Amino acid sequence: MTTLDFFHDETFRDDFTYWNSPEAIRRFPFPFNEDKYMYSVNLEPHVAFKPGSVFEKSFDVDEHYVSEMRDRALVLQEDPLRCQSLPHMNMAGWDLLELIMTKKAAEYPQWFELHQDGDRWRWVNRPLDIDHTFTFLDNTTLPYGPMEYIMRQTQGDYAILDQRDNNLWMDAGMITTQADWSLDFDLGMNFMEWHGPVPLAHEMGIFDRALKFLLNVRQGQPARRLNWTMTVNPRLDTSPERYAKWGTDRMDVNADNVGQLMHLRVELQSFWRLPRSNALVFPIRCYLISLQDLATIPKWGRRFHRVIRDLPDELADYKGLTITRPYVIEYMSQFDDGAPTSPGIFADDE
Amino acid sequence: MITKSADKTPKIEVEVTHIQQVSDIIKRFTFTPVDGAPLPVFGGGAHIVVEMSDGDIIRRNPYSLVSKPGTTDNYQISVRRDDVGRGGSLYMHNTLKVGDHLLVSHPVNLFHIDRRARKHLLIAGGIGITPFLAMMAELEDEVANFELHLSARTDGAFLDELRGLYGSKGSFYRDDHNEVIPLNDLLTGQPLGTHLYVCGPNGMLEWVLRTAEDAGWPSQNVHYERFLAPATGLPYEVNLATSGITVRVGGHQSMLEAIEAAGVDAPYLCRGGACGQCETRVVSYDGELLHNDHFLTEEEHASGTKIMPCVSRFQGRELVLER
């Protein structure tokens, strides 16, 4: 897939023309490795794994790339506070720009090129029709700050966490595809503060263990995990700031349309130590799939039914299933014949 | 000759391409990647762990990177010869030659610049200058406000180089001239928003940290790097419960090194008792835990339930660790 025809022309709002190709469905990061779900510190090294999967590249670029970047630009136009960087995080922004440019140029040479001549860098991004020469570490040579510049060309939300006083601080980020949390609200908070609203997990000691792990993430040894929630419509921008625009969507769900409207929203989260700033960057890459597309993979249809049916109530609320859960269970039950499922997250027959 | 070990962290094979005698007891080593690929970028204050195959012993010592941050075709470290230490610096000084190959870790930074600072006050004693060399190059590039106060035994090549590079931003104090850093004046006369960074011998570090605390400095504005060389002592045995083996720790070996030498993969970052990564649970012991780290609290030391095997030792009949 080297041509630019690979990229869809689609929307994540209003008429919602977003769609997944059969290839995108097969490579969807289904997050359940067994027929039930509970929190866990499900971290693993972020190393290349399974060709064609979303785990193959450092920063996955898929068929939704160009349209996602258009949606991000629309969000920023309406609400510039979705992208913020405290003054001391400028170097971390350059770190991130360097990391993404070098990885993408090496892993997707058909789409991206980086030519470095000392501090003079030329960056070519073919899908977005960008060919730009700038001076590394000189903000005046970019149209935006370094983080915003590269984030307008990168799928997924990115939080950049400053590390100090044995804690992580959310001091910069580009957050336009979030599952109902706000950068503007969390900016400047530490790890325990911004995770305050999560139910059950504090009592389980999940965050103490996770913070300890994250403080020790090393350069050259990134880690990853999957997280999930549910969203009505393939809407990327489900932010508290725009709750008035999407909060009532769930009222539209009924027994007839649940398969088209309800989407499983999976976040591929990874964790990278940045070299110059020593900050930790936390990409949160969002993948959306409708229940009817999900059910085309028999193993996922069976398992998803069982997971949602048996989910504790507190988690169902937190995962965006208030009101809609009975429809989801009823709809998914038609794909669950009671047969056993194989271990692991991947589709069978491969 | 590169010896394989149990340590699973990614390593980079480098060649020693230059050795410079900086002073009578300090040498600067330049390492170049064997595969020619760019080395990972590092920031000021970062260190690498250098793995040395010294006879049948594998030594892993942390050294601050002293080259200019952003340099990716070589790494430089400076090593002070310690004639009474465990032998790592003697190996670097006396055995290592240009053309030899070594394994080094990716950079780890436990002493990075805090870019919230409006001014950076750097205080170094002797070889404690090493992390500041890269930091100052970075601060200079960023046009940041900083000043260095370095106390050293005597004059030497290092001081000449620093005077040339940083001029009036550097103040130098020679022990052999009985010059002392005017610490009280320095720490009480700084503008708001100043951050303090300290690296040097233990006594000096304690002096600076105590004086800063007495002068009312908020701990968030005080940064220090304290790499302890692992202490030497009497040999002893450790029982590793999870692995089901018993390991003998030599007098000039650390517990961590002995565990690694037995083929057991154990986590670490600083190898100097500061970062907490190698913390290990003590299952039981009959004897005395000789804690040397600065990570565990006094209560944790007294509890007898945790130990940092990178620097701490044991004396007694039996020690059982969960490893």
Side-chain angles (χ1 to χ4, degrees):
Chain A
M1 261 170 291
T2 56
T3 72
L4 298 182
D5 300 341
F6 171 67
F7 299 106
H8 295 184
D9 180 4
E10 62 193 2
T11 59
F12 302 85
R13 55 178 70 207
D14 304 324
D15 57 351
F16 295 109
T17 60
Y18 171 89
W19 61 285
N20 279 305
S21 67
E23 297 73 34
I25 293 171
R26 279 208 78 79
R27 75 196 295 277
F28 188 83
F30 186 70
F32 306 106
N33 62 356
E34 53 182 356
D35 290 356
K36 58 181 196 280
Y37 172 77
M38 205 350 129
Y39 294 130
S40 62
V41 183
N42 53 337
L43 289 152
E44 62 179 11
H46 185 39
V47 292
F49 178 63
K50 208 170 166 64
S53 79
V54 303
F55 309 109
E56 184 186 7
K57 304 291 170 68
S58 302
F59 304 101
D60 186 44
V61 177
D62 69 9
E63 62 195 27
H64 309 296
Y65 176 48
V66 173
S67 293
E68 267 191 59
M69 293 302 97
R70 195 164 49 212
D71 195 71
R72 166 159 289 167
L74 287 173
V75 172
L76 290 170
Q77 201 178 329
E78 291 172 359
D79 186 1
L81 294 179
R82 301 299 187 83
C83 176
Q84 297 193 53
S85 176
L86 296 179
H88 63 278
M89 299 302 281
N90 189 58
M91 182 60 89
W94 281 107
D95 270 333
L96 180 61
L97 175 145
E98 177 181 40
L99 176 67
I100 292 178
M101 286 187 178
T102 51
K103 291 289 186 193
K104 281 194 174 174
E107 295 174 3
Y108 296 99
Q110 73 276 34
W111 293 330
F112 305 98
E113 288 173 31
L114 179 64
H115 306 277
Q116 294 162 290
D117 176 16
D119 290 342
R120 289 300 281 174
W121 291 18
R122 180 177 163 227
W123 167 245
V124 179
N125 178 336
R126 277 195 206 91
L128 296 182
D129 196 23
I130 291 167
D131 184 338
H132 185 187
T133 300
F134 61 94
T135 305
F136 187 68
L137 299 182
D138 181 351
N139 282 36
T140 64
T141 61
L142 290 177
Y144 308 100
M147 179 190 73
E148 179 169 358
Y149 178 77
I150 195 62
M151 284 295 91
R152 283 176 177 268
Q153 303 179 45
T154 306
Q155 286 170 281
D157 285 348
Y158 279 59
I160 309 187
L161 315 177
D162 197 25
Q163 181 157 336
R164 53 176 202 267
D165 309 331
N166 223 17
N167 212 325
L168 295 166
W169 304 80
M170 194 173 297
D171 287 349
M174 166 71 91
I175 309 292
T176 68
T177 68
Q178 69 269 54
D180 202 10
W181 66 280
S182 165
L183 173 69
D184 193 40
F185 186 76
D186 287 357
L187 194 75
M189 287 190 189
N190 70 36
F191 187 81
M192 293 303 171
E193 291 168 342
W194 82 70
H195 281 116
V198 182
L200 300 180
H202 289 275
E203 295 83 336
M204 293 167 65
I206 294 268
F207 291 122
D208 294 317
R209 273 180 284 153
L211 176 61
K212 193 169 178 183
F213 174 88
L214 293 173
L215 289 171
N216 284 312
V217 166
R218 293 202 216 182
Q219 203 180 324
Q221 294 177 264
R224 69 175 168 234
R225 69 183 287 259
L226 294 175
N227 196 14
W228 69 278
T229 187
M230 301 294 293
T231 302
V232 183
N233 291 316
R235 189 191 291 277
L236 285 174
D237 179 18
T238 50
S239 59
E241 286 90 342
R242 286 289 173 274
Y243 186 76
K245 287 203 190 299
W246 60 270
T248 56
D249 284 0
R250 72 188 79 169
M251 307 308 288
D252 301 337
V253 178
N254 58 43
D256 296 327
N257 63 17
V258 60
Q260 298 102 63
L261 289 197
M262 282 305 281
H263 286 70
L264 173 61
R265 181 185 194 108
V266 174
E267 295 173 352
L268 170 54
Q269 307 178 344
S270 55
F271 309 89
W272 305 74
R273 178 70 56 203
L274 295 175
R276 293 176 174 82
S277 59
N278 204 49
L280 193 75
V281 66
F282 175 35
I284 310 158
R285 172 65 185 282
C286 170
Y287 295 85
L288 289 163
I289 191 169
S290 66
L291 296 190
Q292 65 183 13
D293 283 352
L294 185 75
T296 61
I297 308 291
K299 169 178 167 182
W300 295 352
R302 290 185 185 104
R303 177 167 293 169
F304 192 66
H305 171 245
R306 296 166 199 178
V307 167
I308 300 303
R309 183 191 61 199
D310 302 338
L311 200 63
D313 289 340
E314 306 95 306
L315 286 183
D317 284 343
Y318 180 62
K319 297 293 187 184
L321 280 159
T322 318
I323 302 177
T324 54
R325 190 181 183 189
Y327 297 122
V328 173
I329 295 172
E330 177 60 27
Y331 175 77
M332 292 309 299
S333 67
Q334 65 183 301
F335 305 105
D336 187 359
D337 55 7
T341 52
S342 59
I345 63 173
F346 294 103
D348 293 327
D349 71 42
E350 51 188 341
Chain B
M1 175 62 193
I2 304 285
T3 315
K4 294 264 181 271
S5 74
D7 182 10
K8 301 286 193 306
T9 57
K11 301 281 169 52
I12 304 160
E13 186 173 359
V14 295
E15 181 176 327
V16 181
T17 47
H18 191 67
I19 300 176
Q20 181 197 356
Q21 189 85 42
V22 179
S23 77
D24 55 338
I25 54 167
I26 297 173
K27 279 185 177 179
R28 177 155 40 199
F29 298 84
T30 303
F31 301 143
T32 308
V34 169
D35 65 5
L39 291 163
V41 174
F42 67 94
H47 71 264
I48 52 173
V49 174
V50 176
E51 189 166 304
M52 309 161 217
S53 301
D54 183 6
D56 55 356
I57 300 173
I58 293 181
R59 301 184 187 281
R60 292 192 184 91
N61 284 8
Y63 293 107
S64 298
L65 288 165
V66 300
S67 29
K68 188 176 154 66
T71 308
T72 55
D73 55 357
N74 70 77
Y75 283 157
Q76 290 185 340
I77 61 169
S78 290
V79 180
R80 180 187 192 275
R81 195 183 72 227
D82 181 357
D83 292 323
V84 295
R86 302 174 326 123
S89 71
L90 286 175
Y91 173 85
M92 295 294 289
H93 270 258
N94 300 339
T95 311
L96 202 63
K97 305 179 305 294
V98 168
D100 285 353
H101 286 200
L102 290 167
L103 292 177
V104 302
S105 71
H106 284 237
V108 173
N109 203 337
L110 303 174
F111 194 45
H112 58 273
I113 292 172
D114 192 325
R115 290 183 168 81
R116 295 174 303 165
R118 297 192 193 134
K119 178 181 174 185
H120 308 266
L121 176 64
L122 318 179
I123 298 183
I127 193 68
I129 184 66
T130 53
F132 294 133
L133 297 175
M135 266 191 200
M136 288 190 293
E138 210 167 25
L139 291 168
E140 190 87 338
D141 268 0
E142 294 174 37
V143 205
N145 182 10
F146 73 93
E147 64 184 56
L148 167 73
H149 296 265
L150 168 64
S151 122
R153 282 180 311 131
T154 178
D155 216 327
F158 249 144
L159 293 192
D160 280 344
E161 194 179 318
L162 287 170
R163 283 191 193 98
L165 281 170
Y166 300 111
S168 62
K169 289 174 187 161
S171 300
F172 306 98
Y173 309 86
R174 288 177 55 175
D175 294 349
D176 61 348
H177 288 184
N178 294 318
E179 294 165 351
V180 178
I181 296 176
L183 196 58
N184 270 313
D185 293 348
L186 267 183
L187 294 184
T188 52
Q190 296 301 325
L192 278 177
T194 303
H195 280 240
L196 169 66
Y197 305 76
V198 199
C199 187
N202 218 23
M204 179 208 186
L205 204 62
E206 295 296 344
W207 175 52
V208 176
L209 295 180
R210 203 173 50 243
T211 311
E213 194 183 341
D214 291 346
W217 280 67
S219 62
Q220 295 93 330
N221 288 35
V222 179
H223 314 273
Y224 56 93
E225 176 136 87
R226 164 159 39 195
F227 275 142
L228 291 173
T232 57
L234 297 171
Y236 57 96
E237 286 190 346
V238 188
N239 189 343
L240 305 179
T242 312
S243 315
I245 54 172
T246 299
V247 167
R248 184 176 169 77
V249 184
H252 285 259
Q253 194 179 27
S254 74
M255 203 186 306
L256 178 62
E257 287 168 341
I259 291 169
E260 290 172 337
V264 177
D265 189 23
Y268 68 82
L269 273 184
C270 75
R271 302 181 81 87
C275 77
Q277 183 72 2
C278 72
E279 177 183 313
T280 305
R281 204 170 75 78
V282 176
V283 178
S284 65
Y285 67 102
D286 177 9
E288 193 186 354
L289 301 173
L290 307 172
H291 294 291
N292 293 313
D293 65 281
H294 291 276
F295 179 79
L296 298 174
T297 60
E298 275 180 41
E299 295 77 50
E300 286 172 318
H301 282 164
S303 76
T305 57
K306 293 172 178 178
I307 196 163
M308 312 300 295
C310 65
V311 290
S312 297
R313 303 186 68 84
F314 174 72
Q315 201 173 311
R317 267 187 296 283
E318 188 188 59
L319 170 63
V320 183
L321 297 183
E322 185 182 82
R323 174 65 67 207

